Amino acid sequence: MFLLNDKIKDLKPYDPEMGDTPVHLDANESFLPLPASLLAELAAALPQVAFNRYPDPAARKLCQAFAAYYGVPAENVAAGNGSDELITVLFTGFLQRGEAFATLEPDFSMYAFNGYLQEARHVPIPKGEDYAIDVDSTVETCQREGVKLLIFSNPGNPTSIVCPREEVRRLIRGLPDTLVVLDEAYMDFSDQSLLPEFQEYGNLLILRTCSKAFGMAGLRLGFAVGRKELVDAVKAVKSPYNVNRLSQALGTLVLEHPPLLGEALETILASKKQLVEGLEALLKEFPSRFTLLPSATNFASLRLPDGEALRRFLEEQGISVRYTAGLVRITCGTPEENRAVLGEIASYFAAAPAAEEGR
Ligand SMILES: *Cc1c(COP(=O)(O)O)cnc(C)c1O
């Protein structure tokens, strides 16, 4: 009789509780559809796409468009089927069974999951009370534990906090024998990227994605940037045709329109501002019910003891948000969606007495 092995027998398919709620503020995607002019260009280009042929394994045009947008050399870029795929590629290729990897908790759950599948040893390093990254203790722990791969997001998910560039530099320089994977999934919303200086580090890979700021979560496009020997290793490990033809074509088209991307980014940042200002007003109205972490992303993170109860209440009102690691994470949405979620949070605090929290 065939039996699933111990490693996978208790795993469940990824299911982010995509209920039938009309308002989705739970996945940190962009709320903006792609501009109509781009969709028209895509429609015109569609008949020329050779769907019967395998795509370019190196996704050259796409990597060139990405490289031009960010001002890095194209040879230092590898493309993935979402940065999620690249995370898997890094864990399978750069770690051997039993080797140690570190995460800075709380962080993106896919890191620990991939390390588990790779049968690597997880060294979870807690962030501080304020969710900041403690560089000195991280370096010390990684050295003590012989960590081969350190991966973390900056700005952080689910914390929304950005770690200053100088601190990240210190971390990378402090761990010359460790591959540091810096997941900048949200860095388009902030200004502390290390992309301009990636060449300075022989132990750094930076991950970026088109899913958050660029409104292409459905296309699954992620990128790894680093020194050539590291990026070539990523390309050697990934599956050959990992980015499909349609995603390569549309992704290239979108990245070749920086002004449109800039406009979308401005719109998202204005939405984030509306959401955060609304939450700050709620903080005045209901002091001591929650704290608001300083957001450098397209979402807000609230810390409160009754976070799961708030999440459930919002879901009952038709609004999905994420509750994880004691934080309620709310993606900014359209002005109407922001108003709706702010209104419902106010109703929740007005109705639920603080004394009943956290049960
Ligand atoms: C959303 C997210 C990703 C995944 O991005 P994809 O390119 O859509 O796979 C990776 N890292 C972090 C921290 C994220 O929040």
Side-chain angles (χ1 to χ4, degrees), residues 27-28 81-85 87 107-108 111 152-157 183 185-186 207-212 217 220-223 299 329:
N28 294 345
N81 187 19
S83 49
D84 259 339
E85 187 213 11
I87 293 166
D107 207 334
F108 191 48
Y111 309 149
F152 63 99
S153 56
N154 190 41
N157 174 10
D183 184 348
Y186 299 95
L207 297 179
R208 303 289 295 229
T209 177
C210 291
S211 301
K212 307 289 157 59
R220 314 303 303 120
L221 288 171
F223 298 89
F299 60 90
R329 200 191 69 188

PDB file of all heavy atoms in Angstrom, residues 27-28 81-85 87 107-108 111 152-157 183 185-186 207-212 217 220-223 299 329, ligand 1:
ATOM      1  N   ALA A  27      -4.629  40.175   0.725  1.00  0.00           N
ATOM      2  CA  ALA A  27      -3.515  39.525   0.018  1.00  0.00           C
ATOM      3  C   ALA A  27      -2.448  40.500  -0.471  1.00  0.00           C
ATOM      4  O   ALA A  27      -1.518  40.097  -1.172  1.00  0.00           O
ATOM      5  CB  ALA A  27      -4.037  38.694  -1.145  1.00  0.00           C
ATOM      6  N   ASN A  28      -2.589  41.771  -0.112  1.00  0.00           N
ATOM      7  CA  ASN A  28      -1.578  42.785  -0.452  1.00  0.00           C
ATOM      8  C   ASN A  28      -1.370  42.980  -1.951  1.00  0.00           C
ATOM      9  O   ASN A  28      -0.347  43.493  -2.381  1.00  0.00           O
ATOM     10  CB  ASN A  28      -0.235  42.478   0.221  1.00  0.00           C
ATOM     11  CG  ASN A  28      -0.311  42.580   1.722  1.00  0.00           C
ATOM     12  OD1 ASN A  28      -1.280  43.135   2.245  1.00  0.00           O
ATOM     13  ND2 ASN A  28       0.676  42.061   2.417  1.00  0.00           N
ATOM     14  N   ASN A  81       8.470  32.321 -11.699  1.00  0.00           N
ATOM     15  CA  ASN A  81       7.016  32.228 -11.767  1.00  0.00           C
ATOM     16  C   ASN A  81       6.452  32.755 -10.434  1.00  0.00           C
ATOM     17  O   ASN A  81       5.982  32.018  -9.576  1.00  0.00           O
ATOM     18  CB  ASN A  81       6.643  30.761 -11.998  1.00  0.00           C
ATOM     19  CG  ASN A  81       5.162  30.572 -12.262  1.00  0.00           C
ATOM     20  OD1 ASN A  81       4.465  31.507 -12.622  1.00  0.00           O
ATOM     21  ND2 ASN A  81       4.688  29.370 -12.077  1.00  0.00           N
ATOM     22  N   GLY A  82       6.578  34.075 -10.267  1.00  0.00           N
ATOM     23  CA  GLY A  82       6.341  34.686  -8.972  1.00  0.00           C
ATOM     24  C   GLY A  82       7.598  34.577  -8.136  1.00  0.00           C
ATOM     25  O   GLY A  82       8.438  33.689  -8.371  1.00  0.00           O
ATOM     26  N   SER A  83       7.790  35.485  -7.169  1.00  0.00           N
ATOM     27  CA  SER A  83       8.967  35.320  -6.315  1.00  0.00           C
ATOM     28  C   SER A  83       8.807  34.103  -5.415  1.00  0.00           C
ATOM     29  O   SER A  83       9.779  33.537  -4.933  1.00  0.00           O
ATOM     30  CB  SER A  83       9.291  36.590  -5.515  1.00  0.00           C
ATOM     31  OG  SER A  83       8.163  37.089  -4.879  1.00  0.00           O
ATOM     32  N   ASP A  84       7.568  33.666  -5.228  1.00  0.00           N
ATOM     33  CA  ASP A  84       7.339  32.412  -4.503  1.00  0.00           C
ATOM     34  C   ASP A  84       8.156  31.265  -5.103  1.00  0.00           C
ATOM     35  O   ASP A  84       8.760  30.476  -4.380  1.00  0.00           O
ATOM     36  CB  ASP A  84       5.856  32.025  -4.586  1.00  0.00           C
ATOM     37  CG  ASP A  84       5.102  32.380  -3.321  1.00  0.00           C
ATOM     38  OD1 ASP A  84       5.751  32.533  -2.273  1.00  0.00           O
ATOM     39  OD2 ASP A  84       3.878  32.506  -3.382  1.00  0.00           O
ATOM     40  N   GLU A  85       8.138  31.162  -6.435  1.00  0.00           N
ATOM     41  CA  GLU A  85       8.899  30.095  -7.072  1.00  0.00           C
ATOM     42  C   GLU A  85      10.394  30.273  -6.810  1.00  0.00           C
ATOM     43  O   GLU A  85      11.119  29.301  -6.556  1.00  0.00           O
ATOM     44  CB  GLU A  85       8.654  30.044  -8.584  1.00  0.00           C
ATOM     45  CG  GLU A  85       9.322  28.808  -9.199  1.00  0.00           C
ATOM     46  CD  GLU A  85       9.843  28.997 -10.604  1.00  0.00           C
ATOM     47  OE1 GLU A  85       9.905  30.137 -11.090  1.00  0.00           O
ATOM     48  OE2 GLU A  85      10.211  27.986 -11.223  1.00  0.00           O
ATOM     49  N   ILE A  87      11.787  31.609  -4.280  1.00  0.00           N
ATOM     50  CA  ILE A  87      12.077  31.211  -2.901  1.00  0.00           C
ATOM     51  C   ILE A  87      12.279  29.691  -2.846  1.00  0.00           C
ATOM     52  O   ILE A  87      13.239  29.193  -2.248  1.00  0.00           O
ATOM     53  CB  ILE A  87      10.942  31.666  -1.950  1.00  0.00           C
ATOM     54  CG1 ILE A  87      10.906  33.196  -1.864  1.00  0.00           C
ATOM     55  CG2 ILE A  87      11.100  31.054  -0.561  1.00  0.00           C
ATOM     56  CD1 ILE A  87       9.642  33.768  -1.237  1.00  0.00           C
ATOM     57  N   ASP A 107       7.541  36.711   9.901  1.00  0.00           N
ATOM     58  CA  ASP A 107       7.850  37.086   8.523  1.00  0.00           C
ATOM     59  C   ASP A 107       6.996  36.223   7.589  1.00  0.00           C
ATOM     60  O   ASP A 107       6.148  35.442   8.058  1.00  0.00           O
ATOM     61  CB  ASP A 107       9.355  36.915   8.250  1.00  0.00           C
ATOM     62  CG  ASP A 107       9.855  37.856   7.146  1.00  0.00           C
ATOM     63  OD1 ASP A 107       9.041  38.249   6.288  1.00  0.00           O
ATOM     64  OD2 ASP A 107      11.055  38.180   7.129  1.00  0.00           O
ATOM     65  N   PHE A 108       7.219  36.351   6.303  1.00  0.00           N
ATOM     66  CA  PHE A 108       6.467  35.635   5.269  1.00  0.00           C
ATOM     67  C   PHE A 108       6.564  34.124   5.526  1.00  0.00           C
ATOM     68  O   PHE A 108       7.661  33.572   5.603  1.00  0.00           O
ATOM     69  CB  PHE A 108       7.082  36.012   3.925  1.00  0.00           C
ATOM     70  CG  PHE A 108       6.298  35.598   2.712  1.00  0.00           C
ATOM     71  CD1 PHE A 108       4.931  35.840   2.619  1.00  0.00           C
ATOM     72  CD2 PHE A 108       6.939  35.006   1.638  1.00  0.00           C
ATOM     73  CE1 PHE A 108       4.225  35.492   1.476  1.00  0.00           C
ATOM     74  CE2 PHE A 108       6.236  34.652   0.498  1.00  0.00           C
ATOM     75  CZ  PHE A 108       4.879  34.900   0.419  1.00  0.00           C
ATOM     76  N   TYR A 111       8.855  31.110   3.761  1.00  0.00           N
ATOM     77  CA  TYR A 111      10.273  30.811   4.023  1.00  0.00           C
ATOM     78  C   TYR A 111      10.388  29.528   4.848  1.00  0.00           C
ATOM     79  O   TYR A 111      11.091  28.591   4.479  1.00  0.00           O
ATOM     80  CB  TYR A 111      10.961  31.961   4.776  1.00  0.00           C
ATOM     81  CG  TYR A 111      10.797  33.336   4.174  1.00  0.00           C
ATOM     82  CD1 TYR A 111      10.783  34.467   4.997  1.00  0.00           C
ATOM     83  CD2 TYR A 111      10.670  33.522   2.796  1.00  0.00           C
ATOM     84  CE1 TYR A 111      10.660  35.741   4.465  1.00  0.00           C
ATOM     85  CE2 TYR A 111      10.532  34.800   2.267  1.00  0.00           C
ATOM     86  CZ  TYR A 111      10.521  35.910   3.110  1.00  0.00           C
ATOM     87  OH  TYR A 111      10.388  37.161   2.590  1.00  0.00           O
ATOM     88  N   PHE A 152      14.749  37.237   4.723  1.00  0.00           N
ATOM     89  CA  PHE A 152      13.763  38.095   5.397  1.00  0.00           C
ATOM     90  C   PHE A 152      13.223  39.119   4.412  1.00  0.00           C
ATOM     91  O   PHE A 152      13.842  39.407   3.392  1.00  0.00           O
ATOM     92  CB  PHE A 152      14.372  38.794   6.619  1.00  0.00           C
ATOM     93  CG  PHE A 152      15.499  39.743   6.303  1.00  0.00           C
ATOM     94  CD1 PHE A 152      15.269  41.117   6.219  1.00  0.00           C
ATOM     95  CD2 PHE A 152      16.786  39.277   6.077  1.00  0.00           C
ATOM     96  CE1 PHE A 152      16.310  41.999   5.926  1.00  0.00           C
ATOM     97  CE2 PHE A 152      17.834  40.149   5.781  1.00  0.00           C
ATOM     98  CZ  PHE A 152      17.590  41.508   5.701  1.00  0.00           C
ATOM     99  N   SER A 153      12.037  39.641   4.731  1.00  0.00           N
ATOM    100  CA  SER A 153      11.438  40.658   3.875  1.00  0.00           C
ATOM    101  C   SER A 153      11.699  42.038   4.450  1.00  0.00           C
ATOM    102  O   SER A 153      11.687  42.245   5.659  1.00  0.00           O
ATOM    103  CB  SER A 153       9.922  40.414   3.732  1.00  0.00           C
ATOM    104  OG  SER A 153       9.288  40.375   4.992  1.00  0.00           O
ATOM    105  N   ASN A 154      11.976  42.983   3.552  1.00  0.00           N
ATOM    106  CA  ASN A 154      12.162  44.382   3.943  1.00  0.00           C
ATOM    107  C   ASN A 154      11.647  45.284   2.834  1.00  0.00           C
ATOM    108  O   ASN A 154      12.193  45.255   1.729  1.00  0.00           O
ATOM    109  CB  ASN A 154      13.638  44.690   4.211  1.00  0.00           C
ATOM    110  CG  ASN A 154      13.810  46.060   4.860  1.00  0.00           C
ATOM    111  OD1 ASN A 154      13.030  46.427   5.745  1.00  0.00           O
ATOM    112  ND2 ASN A 154      14.786  46.824   4.417  1.00  0.00           N
ATOM    113  N   PRO A 155      10.595  46.092   3.084  1.00  0.00           N
ATOM    114  CA  PRO A 155       9.783  46.152   4.285  1.00  0.00           C
ATOM    115  C   PRO A 155       9.186  44.784   4.627  1.00  0.00           C
ATOM    116  O   PRO A 155       9.064  43.940   3.759  1.00  0.00           O
ATOM    117  CB  PRO A 155       8.670  47.149   3.917  1.00  0.00           C
ATOM    118  CG  PRO A 155       9.223  47.970   2.807  1.00  0.00           C
ATOM    119  CD  PRO A 155      10.144  47.075   2.058  1.00  0.00           C
ATOM    120  N   GLY A 156       8.844  44.629   5.898  1.00  0.00           N
ATOM    121  CA  GLY A 156       8.442  43.320   6.380  1.00  0.00           C
ATOM    122  C   GLY A 156       6.961  43.022   6.190  1.00  0.00           C
ATOM    123  O   GLY A 156       6.113  43.888   6.330  1.00  0.00           O
ATOM    124  N   ASN A 157       6.701  41.767   5.885  1.00  0.00           N
ATOM    125  CA  ASN A 157       5.336  41.246   5.865  1.00  0.00           C
ATOM    126  C   ASN A 157       5.262  40.214   6.979  1.00  0.00           C
ATOM    127  O   ASN A 157       6.049  39.272   6.952  1.00  0.00           O
ATOM    128  CB  ASN A 157       5.043  40.593   4.504  1.00  0.00           C
ATOM    129  CG  ASN A 157       3.698  39.899   4.447  1.00  0.00           C
ATOM    130  OD1 ASN A 157       2.882  40.046   5.347  1.00  0.00           O
ATOM    131  ND2 ASN A 157       3.474  39.133   3.394  1.00  0.00           N
ATOM    132  N   ASP A 183      14.225  39.952   0.608  1.00  0.00           N
ATOM    133  CA  ASP A 183      12.968  39.938  -0.138  1.00  0.00           C
ATOM    134  C   ASP A 183      12.365  41.342  -0.109  1.00  0.00           C
ATOM    135  O   ASP A 183      11.764  41.756   0.884  1.00  0.00           O
ATOM    136  CB  ASP A 183      12.037  38.902   0.494  1.00  0.00           C
ATOM    137  CG  ASP A 183      10.733  38.735  -0.282  1.00  0.00           C
ATOM    138  OD1 ASP A 183      10.448  39.567  -1.165  1.00  0.00           O
ATOM    139  OD2 ASP A 183      10.005  37.770   0.010  1.00  0.00           O
ATOM    140  N   ALA A 185       9.801  42.580  -1.679  1.00  0.00           N
ATOM    141  CA  ALA A 185       8.485  42.520  -2.338  1.00  0.00           C
ATOM    142  C   ALA A 185       7.730  43.852  -2.240  1.00  0.00           C
ATOM    143  O   ALA A 185       6.954  44.193  -3.126  1.00  0.00           O
ATOM    144  CB  ALA A 185       7.640  41.396  -1.736  1.00  0.00           C
ATOM    145  N   TYR A 186       7.965  44.600  -1.158  1.00  0.00           N
ATOM    146  CA  TYR A 186       7.223  45.853  -0.935  1.00  0.00           C
ATOM    147  C   TYR A 186       8.090  47.098  -1.088  1.00  0.00           C
ATOM    148  O   TYR A 186       7.669  48.191  -0.739  1.00  0.00           O
ATOM    149  CB  TYR A 186       6.586  45.838   0.468  1.00  0.00           C
ATOM    150  CG  TYR A 186       5.609  44.708   0.620  1.00  0.00           C
ATOM    151  CD1 TYR A 186       6.013  43.492   1.174  1.00  0.00           C
ATOM    152  CD2 TYR A 186       4.305  44.818   0.161  1.00  0.00           C
ATOM    153  CE1 TYR A 186       5.140  42.430   1.264  1.00  0.00           C
ATOM    154  CE2 TYR A 186       3.424  43.761   0.257  1.00  0.00           C
ATOM    155  CZ  TYR A 186       3.841  42.571   0.807  1.00  0.00           C
ATOM    156  OH  TYR A 186       2.972  41.516   0.885  1.00  0.00           O
ATOM    157  N   LEU A 207      15.167  39.769  -3.922  1.00  0.00           N
ATOM    158  CA  LEU A 207      13.952  39.330  -4.615  1.00  0.00           C
ATOM    159  C   LEU A 207      13.010  40.511  -4.804  1.00  0.00           C
ATOM    160  O   LEU A 207      12.841  41.336  -3.894  1.00  0.00           O
ATOM    161  CB  LEU A 207      13.229  38.244  -3.805  1.00  0.00           C
ATOM    162  CG  LEU A 207      13.976  36.936  -3.575  1.00  0.00           C
ATOM    163  CD1 LEU A 207      13.114  35.984  -2.741  1.00  0.00           C
ATOM    164  CD2 LEU A 207      14.359  36.296  -4.900  1.00  0.00           C
ATOM    165  N   ARG A 208      12.421  40.584  -5.982  1.00  0.00           N
ATOM    166  CA  ARG A 208      11.392  41.588  -6.249  1.00  0.00           C
ATOM    167  C   ARG A 208      10.197  40.873  -6.896  1.00  0.00           C
ATOM    168  O   ARG A 208      10.326  39.761  -7.395  1.00  0.00           O
ATOM    169  CB  ARG A 208      11.917  42.671  -7.212  1.00  0.00           C
ATOM    170  CG  ARG A 208      13.165  43.391  -6.749  1.00  0.00           C
ATOM    171  CD  ARG A 208      12.937  44.323  -5.589  1.00  0.00           C
ATOM    172  NE  ARG A 208      12.083  45.447  -5.890  1.00  0.00           N
ATOM    173  CZ  ARG A 208      12.377  46.727  -5.585  1.00  0.00           C
ATOM    174  NH1 ARG A 208      13.534  47.037  -5.023  1.00  0.00           N
ATOM    175  NH2 ARG A 208      11.522  47.686  -5.835  1.00  0.00           N
ATOM    176  N   THR A 209       9.060  41.550  -6.914  1.00  0.00           N
ATOM    177  CA  THR A 209       7.865  40.930  -7.487  1.00  0.00           C
ATOM    178  C   THR A 209       7.043  41.963  -8.240  1.00  0.00           C
ATOM    179  O   THR A 209       7.100  43.156  -7.930  1.00  0.00           O
ATOM    180  CB  THR A 209       7.005  40.282  -6.382  1.00  0.00           C
ATOM    181  OG1 THR A 209       5.815  39.759  -6.962  1.00  0.00           O
ATOM    182  CG2 THR A 209       6.605  41.282  -5.319  1.00  0.00           C
ATOM    183  N   CYS A 210       6.273  41.493  -9.227  1.00  0.00           N
ATOM    184  CA  CYS A 210       5.320  42.359  -9.928  1.00  0.00           C
ATOM    185  C   CYS A 210       3.930  42.237  -9.329  1.00  0.00           C
ATOM    186  O   CYS A 210       2.962  42.758  -9.876  1.00  0.00           O
ATOM    187  CB  CYS A 210       5.275  41.992 -11.419  1.00  0.00           C
ATOM    188  SG  CYS A 210       6.765  42.411 -12.320  1.00  0.00           S
ATOM    189  N   SER A 211       3.806  41.525  -8.206  1.00  0.00           N
ATOM    190  CA  SER A 211       2.479  41.221  -7.662  1.00  0.00           C
ATOM    191  C   SER A 211       1.908  42.331  -6.788  1.00  0.00           C
ATOM    192  O   SER A 211       0.699  42.392  -6.581  1.00  0.00           O
ATOM    193  CB  SER A 211       2.531  39.948  -6.821  1.00  0.00           C
ATOM    194  OG  SER A 211       2.964  38.862  -7.589  1.00  0.00           O
ATOM    195  N   LYS A 212       2.756  43.172  -6.215  1.00  0.00           N
ATOM    196  CA  LYS A 212       2.269  44.095  -5.211  1.00  0.00           C
ATOM    197  C   LYS A 212       2.063  45.500  -5.782  1.00  0.00           C
ATOM    198  O   LYS A 212       0.957  45.985  -5.831  1.00  0.00           O
ATOM    199  CB  LYS A 212       3.230  44.111  -4.009  1.00  0.00           C
ATOM    200  CG  LYS A 212       3.520  42.712  -3.445  1.00  0.00           C
ATOM    201  CD  LYS A 212       2.320  42.126  -2.714  1.00  0.00           C
ATOM    202  CE  LYS A 212       2.282  40.613  -2.586  1.00  0.00           C
ATOM    203  NZ  LYS A 212       3.354  39.944  -1.915  1.00  0.00           N
ATOM    204  N   ALA A 217      -0.325  40.328 -10.009  1.00  0.00           N
ATOM    205  CA  ALA A 217      -0.276  39.120  -9.172  1.00  0.00           C
ATOM    206  C   ALA A 217      -0.755  37.891  -9.948  1.00  0.00           C
ATOM    207  O   ALA A 217      -0.246  36.790  -9.768  1.00  0.00           O
ATOM    208  CB  ALA A 217      -1.114  39.317  -7.911  1.00  0.00           C
ATOM    209  N   ARG A 220       2.028  36.077 -12.144  1.00  0.00           N
ATOM    210  CA  ARG A 220       3.089  35.375 -11.438  1.00  0.00           C
ATOM    211  C   ARG A 220       4.464  35.755 -11.998  1.00  0.00           C
ATOM    212  O   ARG A 220       5.065  35.013 -12.778  1.00  0.00           O
ATOM    213  CB  ARG A 220       2.905  33.839 -11.504  1.00  0.00           C
ATOM    214  CG  ARG A 220       1.512  33.326 -11.211  1.00  0.00           C
ATOM    215  CD  ARG A 220       1.007  33.757  -9.847  1.00  0.00           C
ATOM    216  NE  ARG A 220       1.891  33.330  -8.764  1.00  0.00           N
ATOM    217  CZ  ARG A 220       2.498  34.174  -7.927  1.00  0.00           C
ATOM    218  NH1 ARG A 220       2.332  35.474  -8.026  1.00  0.00           N
ATOM    219  NH2 ARG A 220       3.263  33.720  -6.974  1.00  0.00           N
ATOM    220  N   LEU A 221       4.959  36.906 -11.621  1.00  0.00           N
ATOM    221  CA  LEU A 221       6.275  37.349 -12.077  1.00  0.00           C
ATOM    222  C   LEU A 221       7.113  37.821 -10.898  1.00  0.00           C
ATOM    223  O   LEU A 221       6.727  38.755 -10.185  1.00  0.00           O
ATOM    224  CB  LEU A 221       6.132  38.500 -13.083  1.00  0.00           C
ATOM    225  CG  LEU A 221       5.602  38.135 -14.468  1.00  0.00           C
ATOM    226  CD1 LEU A 221       5.312  39.396 -15.276  1.00  0.00           C
ATOM    227  CD2 LEU A 221       6.594  37.243 -15.208  1.00  0.00           C
ATOM    228  N   GLY A 222       8.239  37.157 -10.688  1.00  0.00           N
ATOM    229  CA  GLY A 222       9.165  37.562  -9.649  1.00  0.00           C
ATOM    230  C   GLY A 222      10.577  37.579 -10.210  1.00  0.00           C
ATOM    231  O   GLY A 222      10.840  36.972 -11.260  1.00  0.00           O
ATOM    232  N   PHE A 223      11.484  38.256  -9.513  1.00  0.00           N
ATOM    233  CA  PHE A 223      12.847  38.400 -10.020  1.00  0.00           C
ATOM    234  C   PHE A 223      13.853  38.252  -8.886  1.00  0.00           C
ATOM    235  O   PHE A 223      13.592  38.648  -7.756  1.00  0.00           O
ATOM    236  CB  PHE A 223      13.033  39.774 -10.681  1.00  0.00           C
ATOM    237  CG  PHE A 223      12.145  39.975 -11.872  1.00  0.00           C
ATOM    238  CD1 PHE A 223      10.865  40.504 -11.721  1.00  0.00           C
ATOM    239  CD2 PHE A 223      12.562  39.599 -13.135  1.00  0.00           C
ATOM    240  CE1 PHE A 223      10.026  40.656 -12.819  1.00  0.00           C
ATOM    241  CE2 PHE A 223      11.736  39.757 -14.238  1.00  0.00           C
ATOM    242  CZ  PHE A 223      10.464  40.288 -14.078  1.00  0.00           C
ATOM    243  N   PHE A 299       0.040  48.163   2.901  1.00  0.00           N
ATOM    244  CA  PHE A 299      -0.912  47.647   3.889  1.00  0.00           C
ATOM    245  C   PHE A 299      -0.609  48.244   5.255  1.00  0.00           C
ATOM    246  O   PHE A 299       0.474  48.799   5.468  1.00  0.00           O
ATOM    247  CB  PHE A 299      -0.872  46.116   3.949  1.00  0.00           C
ATOM    248  CG  PHE A 299       0.458  45.519   4.335  1.00  0.00           C
ATOM    249  CD1 PHE A 299       0.777  45.279   5.663  1.00  0.00           C
ATOM    250  CD2 PHE A 299       1.385  45.183   3.355  1.00  0.00           C
ATOM    251  CE1 PHE A 299       2.004  44.721   6.017  1.00  0.00           C
ATOM    252  CE2 PHE A 299       2.616  44.630   3.701  1.00  0.00           C
ATOM    253  CZ  PHE A 299       2.923  44.403   5.036  1.00  0.00           C
ATOM    254  N   ARG A 329      -3.646  42.517   9.388  1.00  0.00           N
ATOM    255  CA  ARG A 329      -3.001  43.129   8.226  1.00  0.00           C
ATOM    256  C   ARG A 329      -4.075  43.520   7.210  1.00  0.00           C
ATOM    257  O   ARG A 329      -4.819  42.670   6.738  1.00  0.00           O
ATOM    258  CB  ARG A 329      -2.036  42.100   7.625  1.00  0.00           C
ATOM    259  CG  ARG A 329      -0.948  42.648   6.739  1.00  0.00           C
ATOM    260  CD  ARG A 329      -0.252  41.513   6.024  1.00  0.00           C
ATOM    261  NE  ARG A 329      -1.151  40.908   5.037  1.00  0.00           N
ATOM    262  CZ  ARG A 329      -0.871  39.790   4.360  1.00  0.00           C
ATOM    263  NH1 ARG A 329       0.258  39.147   4.572  1.00  0.00           N
ATOM    264  NH2 ARG A 329      -1.727  39.315   3.478  1.00  0.00           N
TER     265      ARG A 329
HETATM  266  C1  LIG B   1       3.543  38.580  -1.638  1.00  0.00           C
HETATM  267  C2  LIG B   1       4.907  38.238  -1.216  1.00  0.00           C
HETATM  268  C3  LIG B   1       5.735  37.433  -2.007  1.00  0.00           C
HETATM  269  C4  LIG B   1       5.200  36.655  -3.183  1.00  0.00           C
HETATM  270  O1  LIG B   1       5.254  37.327  -4.322  1.00  0.00           O
HETATM  271  P1  LIG B   1       4.902  36.586  -5.679  1.00  0.00           P
HETATM  272  O2  LIG B   1       5.847  37.217  -6.651  1.00  0.00           O
HETATM  273  O3  LIG B   1       3.474  36.914  -5.966  1.00  0.00           O
HETATM  274  O4  LIG B   1       5.121  35.128  -5.549  1.00  0.00           O
HETATM  275  C5  LIG B   1       7.042  37.225  -1.617  1.00  0.00           C
HETATM  276  N1  LIG B   1       7.506  37.766  -0.484  1.00  0.00           N
HETATM  277  C6  LIG B   1       6.741  38.516   0.313  1.00  0.00           C
HETATM  278  C7  LIG B   1       7.311  39.069   1.563  1.00  0.00           C
HETATM  279  C8  LIG B   1       5.412  38.765  -0.017  1.00  0.00           C
HETATM  280  O5  LIG B   1       4.641  39.462   0.813  1.00  0.00           O
END
